[in-house]
């Protein structure tokens, strides 16, 4: 009899707990769905407003002839033919979307979705900053390359390629580091490669100087021998 009472009491406790959980789920789900719907509306609104800002910024930059400036300096090819005004406008759009996304997370009550959105809010600015650094590096590398190729130096093509590669490589390392990726191996590889490059340049310059002054050195030694006699 005591065992039956214990089983009945246990069954009741389990039943009561199950009913309470179902009731909590029933009352909690609508609030969660409402919050999720509001968050989606916020994100969609941010997308629309961001697109408006993108077009506005692009038009202002186009009026300032930034695309013509990029074309004149042969920078358009460096960014896959994308107009510079459109590229900058896209970054502005991403930033506006990020602002609305950050506000949207406050309405999300579902833990897993809120955690995901918070991760996006934290990570997207780092990605945007990294992309901006990389794009600036690509544009700067192309600009410097064009300037080097415009000179009359004998090895201008090779020098232009090397300078552009170094600038883009450094920008890539900085961008990846800004995003949060470990770039210690890339930094070490760059230091090794740069050291080898400097040594090779020094050897080439040394050989060139040695050849140029070879005859002068011979004359100097001959005059020195005469004086000693």
């Amino acid at each position: 009899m005591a065992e039956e009472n214990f089983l009945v009491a246990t069954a009741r406790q389990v039943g009561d707990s199950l009913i309470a959980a179902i009731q909590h789920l029933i009352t909690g789900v609508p609030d969660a769905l409402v919050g999720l719907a509001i968050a989606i509306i916020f994100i969609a609104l941010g997308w629309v407003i961001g697109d408006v800002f993108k077009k506005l910024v692009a038009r202002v930059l186009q009026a300032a002839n930034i695309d013509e400036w990029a074309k004149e300096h042969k920078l358009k090819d460096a960014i896959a033919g994308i107009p510079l005004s459109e590229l900058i406008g896209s970054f502005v759009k991403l930033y506006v979307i990020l602002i609305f996304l950050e506000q949207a997370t406050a309405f999300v009550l579902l833990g897993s979705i809120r955690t995901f959105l918070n991760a996006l809010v934290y990570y997207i600015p780092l990605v945007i900053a990294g992309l901006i650094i990389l794009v600036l590096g690509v544009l700067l590398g192309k600009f410097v390359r064009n300037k080097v190729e415009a000179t009359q130096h004998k090895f201008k093509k090779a020098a232009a390629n090397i300078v552009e590669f170094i600038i883009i490589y450094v920008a890539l390392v900085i961008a990846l580091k800004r995003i949060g990726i470990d770039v210690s191996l890339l930094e070490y590889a760059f230091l090794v490669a740069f050291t080898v490059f400097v040594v090779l340049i020094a050897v080439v310059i040394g050989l060139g100087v040695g050849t140029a002054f070879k005859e002068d050195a011979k004359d100097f030694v001959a005059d020195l021998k005469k004086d000693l006699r």
Side-chain angles (χ1 to χ4, degrees):
M1 190 73 177
E3 291 181 357
E4 291 181 359
N5 291 334
F6 174 75
L7 291 174
V8 171
T10 303
R12 284 180 178 176
Q13 289 179 355
V14 172
D16 291 340
S17 299
L18 185 60
I19 292 172
I22 293 173
Q23 289 176 342
H24 178 73
L25 183 64
I26 292 174
T27 57
V29 166
D31 292 337
L33 291 178
V34 170
L36 185 61
I38 294 174
I40 292 174
I41 292 172
F42 258 81
I43 295 172
L45 188 62
W47 187 281
V48 173
I49 295 176
D51 196 55
V52 171
F53 270 89
K54 174 186 175 180
K55 293 177 180 177
L56 180 62
V57 170
R59 287 180 182 177
V60 171
L61 293 175
Q62 288 168 3
N65 296 322
I66 191 171
D67 292 331
E68 285 73 12
W69 177 85
K71 186 176 181 181
E72 180 183 347
H73 289 83
K74 302 177 182 178
L75 300 179
K76 193 174 180 179
D77 294 337
I79 48 178
I82 302 173
L84 192 55
S85 59
E86 291 288 330
L87 186 62
I88 297 174
S90 297
F91 283 124
V92 173
K93 178 180 178 179
L94 283 175
Y95 184 74
V96 173
I97 292 174
L98 177 65
I99 293 174
F100 279 83
L101 180 62
E102 187 175 5
Q103 298 299 320
T105 57
F107 297 96
V108 178
L109 302 179
L110 298 175
S112 57
I113 297 178
R114 186 168 189 172
T115 301
F116 174 72
L117 291 179
N118 283 328
L120 286 180
V121 170
Y122 171 77
Y123 200 66
I124 287 177
L126 302 179
V127 174
I128 293 176
L131 287 174
I132 291 174
I133 292 171
L134 183 58
V135 169
L136 290 176
V138 170
L139 291 173
L140 179 61
K142 184 67 174 178
F143 181 81
V144 175
R145 174 177 180 164
N146 293 337
K147 292 298 182 181
V148 174
E149 287 182 343
T151 64
Q152 301 300 320
H153 196 275
K154 182 179 180 181
F155 302 106
K156 61 182 181 180
K157 289 287 184 181
N161 288 329
I162 293 171
V163 170
E164 182 183 26
F165 174 78
I166 290 175
I167 293 175
I168 294 176
Y169 189 92
V170 171
L172 176 62
V173 170
I174 295 174
L176 292 176
K177 196 170 186 177
R178 186 71 183 84
I179 292 173
I181 299 175
D182 185 14
V183 293
S184 55
L185 183 61
L186 292 176
E187 291 176 336
Y188 178 75
F190 175 77
L191 289 175
V192 172
F194 186 74
T195 302
V196 172
F197 174 72
V198 170
V199 171
L200 288 175
I201 292 297
V203 170
V204 171
I205 293 176
L207 291 175
V209 171
T211 303
F213 290 98
K214 186 177 181 180
E215 296 299 326
D216 292 336
K218 286 182 178 179
D219 295 338
F220 175 77
V221 172
D223 292 339
L224 184 60
K225 287 181 178 181
K226 287 180 182 180
D227 293 337
L228 291 175
R229 289 175 183 175

